Amino acid sequence: MKVLVVGNGGREHTIAHMLLKSEQVERVFCIPGNGGTALNPRCQNFAFAATDFEAIARVAQTQGVSLVVVGPEAPLAVGIVDFLRGRQIPVFGPTQAGAQIEASKSWAKTLMAEAGVPTAQSATFTELAPARDYLQQTGAPIVVKADGLAAGKGVTVAMTLDEALKAVESIFGGQFGSAGSSVVIEEFMEGREVSVLALTDGKAVRPLIPAQDHKRIGEGDTGPNTGGMGTYAPAPLVTPDLMARIETEVLQPTVRALAARGIDYRGVLYAGLMITPEGDPKVVEFNCRFGDPETQVVLPLLETPLHELMLACVEQRLAQFPPIAWKSGVAGCVVVAAQGYPGSFAKGTPIAGLAEAEAVGAMVFHAGTRLVRSSGNTDRLVSDGGRVLGVTAIGADFDEAFGTVYRAIEAIDYTEKTYRRDIGYQVRQQPWETLPLPGVIAASDPMPTEAP
């Protein structure tokens, strides 16, 4: 079979990589793809936008594609699944109505209330003045969120009232465009965060192994939020008993509530959770797609062929599917970013040494790269984003996995590279302070203004 993957990040490169692990998957097409998918001889990139639905449908039909997999949230939120289904093209992902669970935090809050899903108390505002008054009454710490899609950067965990006020002023001031037309203000929840990605066909739910990621740019989980600087799986925090509670208290009620609204949700239901000091799970937010970089550690541990699981969701036969099989061991991933991220950063910087990194035993997933084609054998790989590479390794334990990751990163020749040395510090025995300093921006340094 042939599969088409929509998107151009590390998540999509990982999905393509795992799909091609199966002998049944002959070829993967990527729209638009990145430098990593361009370098794979069994992948082919098409330079269309992820929201060019007509072009995506045309490629799927002319190339004999059996399945379309939608990676990012943006095309899901504007109805790519509805469009492709209307042309009888099998597609893995929720409809536009279902994608609201990520595209609108206030919509998701209402759905959780209907489903009885545990989450933080919140209030939604469409104007600055009432939001400011509310903050003055509640005080800090508190959480301020742009209601719409903001590429993972629209959340401020404000420890002071002044910080919270600046956050709402910035959102209503247009920092996130239309995503900030309304603001959700939530109570501050204490605990430890964990990501549980589940597959669903709209009826049955199958959770994947839990992961924990690091959102902040600085070591020690300091500085501004990013799309994610690294992750590991499975997260020991989630015991089998806790996973059973997450499935019965969070995942199943949410899928039932979606179905009760007449929403046909087939794809990934990603629950970002806070595990309270008492051990109870509460939803921080839902996403309607695979996480990035969580995908880079969850899928490499998957033994069951990925395309079989996706087809079971699309064809609504997940309940009859055999138990999901996993490899032994654990996985860790560290994101190599461009200097200045999540603010302004350079693009077009040459990258080399990836073969040497993989020779160490790591998998290098491209997140923000581009292959510059030229005559002869002079193709060049260059940076093309803020998060540039995700370096992943599997090990018997987390020290082994992250040891491989950091040795691989040292082998990568990329002058703008910056990364956190402490990813997975919760589960590693080796002190991260002993690792070589990569020249990261210190957490105490002022960060540049965020790029659009």
Side-chain angles (χ1 to χ4, degrees), residues 118-292:
T119 187
Q121 293 182 350
S122 68
T124 301
F125 301 90
T126 56
E127 295 179 355
L128 175 59
R132 286 177 56 91
D133 291 343
Y134 182 82
L135 288 172
Q136 294 282 1
Q137 295 169 9
T138 56
I142 202 159
V143 180
V144 178
K145 300 180 177 181
D147 183 55
L149 299 177
K153 300 174 186 176
V155 177
T156 298
V157 181
M159 302 310 293
T160 66
L161 178 59
D162 184 61
E163 189 180 1
L165 291 169
K166 287 180 179 177
V168 294
E169 289 166 1
S170 178
I171 293 172
F172 279 122
Q175 181 182 4
F176 303 110
S178 60
S181 58
S182 60
V183 170
V184 176
I185 300 177
E186 293 183 347
E187 67 169 320
F188 175 80
M189 294 190 293
E190 293 188 15
R192 293 178 64 185
E193 289 192 57
V194 68
S195 302
V196 174
L197 285 66
L199 302 181
T200 180
D201 60 2
K203 299 176 182 178
V205 185
R206 292 286 184 91
L208 306 180
I209 56 173
Q212 280 191 288
D213 73 338
H214 298 259
K215 288 292 186 191
R216 293 183 181 268
I217 187 67
E219 289 169 358
D221 293 322
T222 56
N225 272 334
T226 71
M229 294 303 295
T231 184
Y232 60 90
L237 175 65
V238 181
T239 63
D241 286 345
L242 180 55
M243 181 59 87
R245 287 189 61 191
I246 291 167
E247 189 170 355
T248 58
E249 297 175 21
V250 174
L251 300 174
Q252 292 174 355
T254 301
V255 170
R256 286 196 297 268
L258 288 163
R261 288 191 174 197
I263 294 172
D264 185 2
Y265 195 108
R266 309 183 200 185
V268 176
L269 180 63
Y270 166 163
L273 301 167
M274 183 72 74
I275 309 304
T276 69
E278 296 76 30
D280 298 319
K282 287 189 173 184
V283 175
V284 177
E285 62 183 12
F286 279 115
N287 292 325
C288 62
R289 37 70 190 182
F290 282 113
D292 190 344

Side-chain angles (χ1 to χ4, degrees), residues 17 98 126 273 366 369 417 441:
H17 173 84
T126 56
L273 301 167
H366 295 231
T369 68
K417 74 180 176 185
I441 299 172

